Every structure is written in structure tokens, then in C-alpha cells.
Amino acid sequence: MARIGVIGTGYVGLVSAVGMATLGHEVVGMDKDEKKVEKLKRGELPFYEKGLGDYLREAMERGLLRFTLDTEEAVDGARYIFIAVNTPMDDDGSADLSQLLSASRSIAKALKDFAILIVRSTAPVGSLEAMAKVLEVEGKERGRDYEIAYNPEFLREGTGIYDFLNPSRIVVGADSPEIAEEVMSLYERINAPKLTTTIKNAQIIKYASNAFLAARVSFINEIATLCEALGADVWDVAKGMGLDPRIGRQYLRPGPGYSGPCLPKDLMALIRMSEEHGYFPSFLEAIHLKNESQKRRIVWKVKEALGGVFTGKTVAVLGLTFKPNTDDVRNSVSIPIINRMAKQGALVKAYDPMGGENAKEIFKESAQIFPDPYSALEGADAVLILTAWDEFRGLDWDRVRKTVKNPFIVDAVGLFRDKGLEGWNVWVVGKG
Ligand SMILES: NC(=O)c1ccc[n+]([C@@H]2O[C@H](COP(=O)([O-])OP(=O)(O)OC[C@H]3O[C@@H](n4cnc5c(N)ncnc54)[C@H](O)[C@@H]3O)[C@@H](O)[C@H]2O)c1
């Protein structure tokens, strides 16, 4: 079994660290965030992720997993160093590589023996060469002191550890087939399709996969708007399309637009990558444009329910996370939608089953966050549902009906697509 260091223990890094320890490897996870590391040392998760806590504590009890703030400790004796820092969207839409490059610098300083640096962050073509430059400045030579491999992560937040242990595929890109195979051997105990390829191909596999998922969402949202105009029901249309095995049902769910920490930034980074190489990717641009207009459409639907003005009106928003079963509000569709309504004069009251605390940071000015749904809904002129949490279906809507000013629901996620709500006027996305 191998000794692995993991740099960055956010969603991807922590799942990788816990997953690798569960497979029997000896793992040291390192993060620069003191609070995160303190929690992890106590066996506590720094964020909500279903089932991950049990795996974390089991791996720690077996002595296969520990955490540190010190890069040297994580790297010492490790032949494999996973890098899972973030590559957020820069102002111009390209991937911001600053965390990746700064982590590379710390690793270079700490590196004593040969190691394979395995990048798990989503990183554009050219970024690993930039990393190599940083290592070179610190006196480390590619091939002699280290090798680089690219091993994209395809997990979905909310089912992260399940996805790690039961992946749809494992992809490893490296300069040589030997290095790629060696990295792949870390996953020996996982039964899944395995693909070794070049670094560039592996990078594009990751970006193209996310762009394709975004395309499916924008596509069905396009059809949803058409169904609204034609008096049809996109939910039945999506079902009928998805039954074709060539199409499939995943990511064919209409809604307020794709969002979250991956799809928007990865699509934009792919667009910028294309442009930097002299190609204007109009198809990729169209995916993004439809997503933007879908958000505006939802805002417009709420405005319509309010009689055409936001000023002086109260909108109750249910759901702030970018999808159910996570507490992650980063880059959620709720952010631009709420900000737009607030800027136009609406008073926004909001509730989320798990993302409330994270949301307080984000919506300091634009929304009041409530710890329970009933207080958020009280006095509303319109209700907007933005995340498909099951909990919302089971609310006592008769009770809510008595406390709102206007019984109008804009259901942007289709919770009430099959059965309306008695006494309520419900608009469901994609239903004419
Ligand atoms: N979140 C997802 O669902 C998901 C899925 C697949 C791929 N990815 C990709 O994986 C990467 C990480 O995403 P994430 O969601 O885990 O990000 P994250 O922000 O949750 O985690 C990044 C962690 O790295 C730490 N960090 C930053 N710089 C550091 C440094 N120099 N040294 C040590 N630690 C450092 C941060 O403190 C943070 O804990 C991104 O490139 C993302 O696109 C994310």
C-alpha cells in the first residue's frame, strides 16, 4: 500500500483522502485553513457530505489517515502527492491558477525525495506546464525530482464518497504510460472502467464532460421555455426523451439554470481556453447564454406574479444551495436571482434546510435568512422555490396560506409539477 499526501482538503481533497485511506493507503491530508484542520483532527467534517464522516472516523481509527497544517509533514515519505486546491473562476471567466501555483511552490520547497504530483483540481491545458515552471524556479527538475499526472475527479457533491468508491470511470493522464499506469494502480481495488491517456486529453475529458452536462441542462431549459409558449409539459417531454438509451435521463431536468462550484466555471474556462487558441466556440457560448437568460426568466416570472413591480414587495425564497443534500451555496443560482430581485426593490426572506449558515455570509445585504421555513414565508407576496429539497413538498401549505399576502408560488424546480396545491396559484417551470 502507498503513502499519499493530499494538499487541500476541501470537497475533492477530503473525499480523495478519505477514499484513498479506505482503499488501504496511508494518507496525510494538509490544508492551510486552520479551522478546517482542527475540525478534521477531531474527526469532524468541515462541511456537510452524506456518509463521509463515518468513513473519515473509521480511516482515522485504523491509523491510515491524519491531518496537518504543515506541507513538509504531508509530503515527507510520500511517493504520491494529490493536489486538490481550488481553481475558481477569474474575473474574465478563465481558471484562476493562483492556489495551484502557490501549492506547487510549497510542495517544491518541502520535496526531498522523488514524488509523483497528481493534480485532482480541474485545471486547464497549459496549467501543469505553469506548475512545472514554479517547481523549476525552486530547483526541482521534472523527470528527476518529480513527475506530474492529471487525475480529474468526477464526484457529485452530496454523494462524494459513494462516487469516489463507485466511479463511472477513472481517468489518468501522464507524460508516459508507465507513470499513468503507476498512478492508476492506486485504484487497484476499485472496479470501474479505467482510461490512461495524455495529460492534455485527460484535462479536456474533464472540461468537455462538464460542458456537456451544462449543455444538457441548457437544452432542456430551452425546450422548457418552448413548452411554456406552446402549452405543453416539459416534464413529460423530458421523460419521453430520456427513455431513449441514446439520450438517457440524467441532467435533463428543467430548472432555474445550472449552477454550483463546477459547471459554470468549467464551461467558462473551456470557452476562454478555446479563445486563447484562436477559436470562438459559439456552441459553448450558446450554452452559457441560455443559462443566463433562464435566470432572468425566473426573476421575470416572480415580477409578473407581483403585478410587475418588486418595490415594496416581499419575496420568500425556499432553497439557496445549488442542489439539494448539500450545504454548498458557492456560485448557486440563488445568488444572482436574489441579488437581482433585491436590487429592484424586493424584500427577500429566505430559508434553506442546510445552507442557511453559509448563505448568511453571501446574502448579507440582499436577503434575510431564517432558521425555519414558516418564518421565511410569513407575509410573502410571492414564494419562489429555487432548490428541489423534498422538505418543501411536505410543508403545511394550508398553514402557510393563512400567513402570506398572496398565494402565488413560482416553482422553478418542478416540485409541484404533478400535483398542484389547493388554494395556491402555482407556476411550474416548463408547463404551459
Ligand atoms: N466540488 C466539486 O463538486 C468538484 C468536483 C470535481 C472537481 N472539482 C474541482 O476540484 C478542485 C477543488 O474543488 P473543491 O470544491 O474541493 O474546492 P474547495 O475550495 O472546497 O477546497 C480547496 C481547499 O484547498 C485549500 N487550499 C488552497 N490553497 C492551498 C494551499 N496552497 N495549500 C494547502 N491548501 C490549500 C483550501 O483551504 C480549501 O480547503 C477544483 O478545481 C474543482 O473545480 C470540484
Side-chain angles (χ1 to χ4, degrees):
M1 287 291 138
R3 166 73 174 83
I4 299 173
V6 175
I7 309 298
T9 55
Y11 283 86
V12 167
L14 185 58
V15 169
S16 300
V18 172
M20 278 293 160
T22 302
L23 295 178
H25 301 298
E26 193 196 332
V27 182
V28 180
M30 180 270 163
D31 203 286
K32 64 176 188 179
D33 181 333
E34 273 181 46
K35 275 194 198 148
K36 206 170 259 185
V37 172
E38 276 316 308
K39 274 196 158 180
L40 288 169
K41 280 183 173 172
R42 292 197 299 267
E44 291 169 22
L45 288 183
F47 47 79
Y48 174 77
E49 185 60 43
K50 199 173 155 198
L52 185 60
D54 294 338
Y55 281 96
L56 167 81
R57 286 179 287 277
E58 196 191 320
M60 289 174 82
E61 275 159 25
R62 285 170 66 203
L64 290 175
L65 179 60
R66 60 197 162 86
F67 296 93
T68 178
L69 279 167
D70 181 9
T71 311
E72 264 183 45
E73 192 183 332
V75 165
D76 187 34
R79 181 169 173 87
Y80 306 97
I81 300 168
F82 280 30
I83 304 176
V85 296
N86 207 350
T87 47
M89 183 158 32
D90 215 338
D91 294 342
D92 67 351
S94 61
D96 172 352
L97 303 181
S98 54
Q99 291 187 25
L100 196 61
L101 299 181
S102 132
S104 305
R105 197 165 299 117
S106 319
I107 293 168
K109 286 190 201 303
L111 207 58
K112 292 194 189 82
D113 306 311
F114 177 87
I116 304 180
L117 312 188
I118 304 167
V119 178
R120 307 236 60 211
S121 309
T122 304
V125 171
S127 54
L128 271 48
E129 287 67 23
M131 273 177 67
K133 266 272 165 246
V134 169
L135 279 126
E136 191 188 314
V137 170
E138 297 298 332
K140 304 292 178 206
E141 190 183 315
R142 195 165 177 170
R144 183 193 66 189
D145 301 309
Y146 73 95
E147 285 286 357
I148 300 187
Y150 185 67
N151 172 213
E153 177 55 65
F154 300 104
L155 68 79
R156 296 160 299 173
E157 279 184 24
T159 51
I161 190 66
Y162 176 85
D163 290 346
F164 183 92
L165 297 169
N166 305 275
S168 52
R169 73 287 207 198
I170 302 172
V171 175
V172 175
D175 288 340
S176 70
E178 293 73 31
I179 295 292
E181 288 302 339
E182 185 181 336
V183 172
M184 193 61 96
S185 71
L186 295 172
Y187 295 95
E188 214 165 29
R189 292 179 55 193
I190 293 185
N191 185 15
K194 292 174 180 166
L195 175 71
T196 52
T197 181
T198 65
I199 288 176
K200 240 182 231 177
N201 290 349
Q203 288 174 307
I204 298 174
I205 288 169
K206 174 64 191 172
Y207 277 104
S209 299
N210 273 358
F212 193 76
L213 296 177
R216 288 176 66 98
V217 177
S218 276
F219 181 86
I220 202 64
N221 279 339
E222 185 96 303
I223 302 300
T225 311
L226 194 63
C227 285
E228 287 161 19
L230 297 175
D233 182 340
V234 76
W235 297 89
D236 265 4
V237 172
K239 200 186 287 172
M241 286 171 64
L243 287 171
D244 184 335
R246 293 171 303 177
I247 297 174
R249 297 186 68 165
Q250 301 258 335
Y251 283 75
L252 219 52
R253 194 189 161 102
Y258 58 79
S259 68
C262 291
L263 296 196
K265 87 170 170 68
D266 292 350
L267 177 77
M268 287 314 290
L270 188 59
I271 291 173
R272 293 294 169 260
M273 225 186 294
S274 309
E275 286 172 351
E276 276 166 25
H277 290 82
Y279 172 64
F280 179 76
S282 54
F283 177 69
L284 299 180
E285 282 283 352
I287 300 168
H288 167 67
L289 288 179
K290 173 59 201 170
N291 204 50
E292 291 304 296
S293 72
Q294 188 70 1
K295 293 180 229 173
R296 286 196 296 275
R297 183 165 175 75
I298 297 301
V299 172
W300 175 76
K301 271 287 157 194
V302 179
K303 195 171 181 176
E304 196 183 49
L306 296 172
V309 273
F310 276 116
T311 318
K313 299 286 171 67
T314 302
V315 181
V317 175
L318 295 181
L320 299 166
T321 50
F322 79 99
K323 65 174 187 178
N325 304 318
T326 174
D327 62 359
D328 199 349
V329 188
R330 292 179 298 175
N331 210 16
S332 168
V333 77
S334 63
I335 301 171
I337 289 180
I338 287 179
N339 287 345
R340 213 164 278 160
M341 295 191 302
K343 269 187 195 155
Q344 292 186 46
L347 171 71
V348 180
K349 297 170 74 185
Y351 165 75
D352 189 277
M354 268 176 199
E357 279 310 308
N358 290 338
K360 278 184 187 158
E361 286 292 304
I362 294 173
F363 298 105
K364 276 191 194 114
E365 311 264 303
S366 51
Q368 269 176 280
I369 313 296
F370 288 80
D372 74 289
Y374 296 102
S375 323
L377 288 157
E378 206 176 312
D381 291 287
V383 177
L384 169 61
I385 305 179
L386 280 180
T387 316
W389 287 98
D390 269 342
E391 178 183 324
F392 301 153
R393 240 188 238 117
L395 292 179
D396 183 347
W397 287 99
D398 285 338
R399 170 183 161 191
V400 178
R401 167 83 185 78
K402 294 183 188 113
T403 68
V404 295
K405 288 198 200 119
N406 182 17
F408 201 106
I409 297 178
V410 172
D411 179 3
V413 289
L415 275 188
F416 296 106
R417 63 184 180 274
D418 295 327
K419 215 165 110 241
L421 268 182
E422 220 178 291
W424 287 83
N425 191 352
V426 185
W427 177 84
V428 177
V429 65
K431 282 185 88 150

